[in-house]
Amino acid sequence: MADVDVIHEEAEQPQQTILVIEDEKSISQLVRLYLEQAGFRVVSAADGPSGLGLHTREQPALVILDLMLPGLDGWEVCRRIRQQGNTPVLMLTARQTEEDRIQGLDLGADDYVTKPFSPRELVSRVRAILRRATPATTEEPNAVLQYPGLSIYPAARRVEAQGQPVTLTAKEFDLLLLFARTPNTVFTREELLSRIWGYDYLGDSRTVDVHIGTLRKKIEQNPAQPRFIKTLYRVGYLFDPTAAQNGGGDA
Ligand code: CA
């Protein structure tokens, strides 16, 4: 599905994806070049909101994150990535005061590289972080998520509701996966827009309601009384994994 080149040959080991969020094109290209030579698949974004969108869609093994970014700065992007899970973050920045370093690590960044940097060193830091992260994170991203009456297969992007396969659009699937991976967490419409649609759609929060509506029709037994995707009036939406069986109505 992704319009990114992937090497299919010699796939003894699945290729790990690195997300690079950096607005300076020359740096982004340099980092991509070195990472690809090292055998990684690279996806990149040039601003915070689209970086977060890619993080949700691609579930990268690691994020290389510039600090000074248009849209949302690196601190905020790091904070939101942390809300979604434990994807390792390597911060890349021109700043180098002790205070910045500490703030980055406080927000959950795993490492910190200051510009100018050696691309080779960057790659070896990436490898070191991945080695540390591997035991905890490798099998989780594609683990099947199962609830009474709902199964989500992330790797195949397939969903079954009440035992029957349902066809979701790409956005509906991304929404559902984000919800299911961060259960019992309230998302505002604006957060959902920036994570799933990226910055292009900011300001049009009706889009979210429409997609939630169609998603509910496909996965909920009774879309008028949703069990999984709950509405918090004037706040947003959350995913309820306990999904009490009694919401069906016409049994
Ligand atoms: Ca920058």
Side-chain angles (χ1 to χ4, degrees):
M1 299 254 163
D3 50 28
V4 182
D5 292 332
V6 182
I7 297 164
H8 292 286
E9 281 92 79
E10 300 171 23
E12 302 149 7
Q13 226 181 320
Q15 212 180 7
Q16 287 182 298
T17 299
I18 309 289
L19 167 60
V20 178
I21 310 177
E22 162 66 84
D23 60 321
E24 265 172 86
K25 217 174 175 180
S26 59
I27 295 180
S28 180
Q29 285 171 345
L30 183 72
V31 169
R32 171 186 285 272
L33 180 74
Y34 274 80
L35 287 171
E36 285 179 346
Q37 278 174 358
F40 294 103
R41 172 175 174 264
V42 179
V43 292
S44 54
D47 63 81
S50 49
L52 284 170
L54 269 182
H55 175 255
T56 304
R57 275 196 295 282
E58 298 282 346
Q59 300 286 316
L62 181 143
V63 180
I64 294 179
L65 176 62
D66 182 32
L67 183 57
M68 305 302 279
L69 285 170
L72 294 169
D73 67 24
W75 305 131
E76 184 58 22
V77 173
C78 186
R79 202 176 61 78
R80 295 197 191 186
I81 287 174
R82 276 292 152 273
Q83 285 175 348
Q84 268 187 288
N86 53 3
T87 313
V89 174
L90 192 158
M91 279 219 177
L92 199 60
T93 173
R95 296 190 186 190
Q96 45 192 319
T97 68
E98 194 67 12
E99 197 180 312
D100 288 330
R101 196 180 294 263
I102 290 164
Q103 195 183 355
L105 297 174
D106 278 351
L107 279 166
D110 294 80
D111 203 353
Y112 200 102
V113 172
T114 50
K115 298 174 189 172
F117 58 89
S118 141
R120 282 179 204 282
E121 192 199 328
L122 183 73
V123 169
S124 68
R125 297 251 200 139
V126 165
R127 285 201 171 117
I129 295 170
L130 288 174
R131 268 198 302 275
R132 290 202 300 268
T134 300
T137 53
T138 33
E139 60 178 334
E140 277 189 33
N142 287 329
V144 178
L145 300 155
Q146 276 183 307
Y147 314 94
L150 180 68
S151 303
I152 305 169
Y153 303 86
R157 294 180 68 83
R158 201 160 58 78
V159 172
E160 285 176 6
Q162 277 72 246
Q164 299 298 312
V166 290
T167 307
L168 301 185
T169 66
K171 296 291 187 214
E172 287 165 355
F173 184 86
D174 291 343
L175 266 175
L176 180 59
L177 191 59
L178 172 62
F179 277 127
R181 280 181 169 153
T182 37
N184 296 313
T185 304
V186 182
F187 289 97
T188 65
R189 291 170 176 79
E190 289 69 29
E191 279 170 328
L192 292 171
L193 275 174
S194 86
R195 289 199 189 192
I196 304 294
W197 280 266
Y199 68 101
D200 286 349
Y201 284 80
L202 280 174
D204 187 5
S205 60
R206 266 285 293 161
T207 307
V208 175
D209 299 336
V210 170
H211 280 76
I212 298 276
T214 56
L215 181 55
R216 278 177 175 156
K217 279 188 192 141
K218 293 176 183 179
I219 65 159
E220 299 279 2
Q221 230 169 346
N222 180 356
Q225 282 184 289
R227 283 161 44 191
F228 293 107
I229 302 176
K230 303 268 166 73
T231 304
L232 270 85
Y233 181 62
R234 290 193 157 177
V235 181
Y237 298 100
L238 69 75
F239 186 83
D240 179 1
T242 59
Q245 292 276 35
N246 56 9
D250 55 346

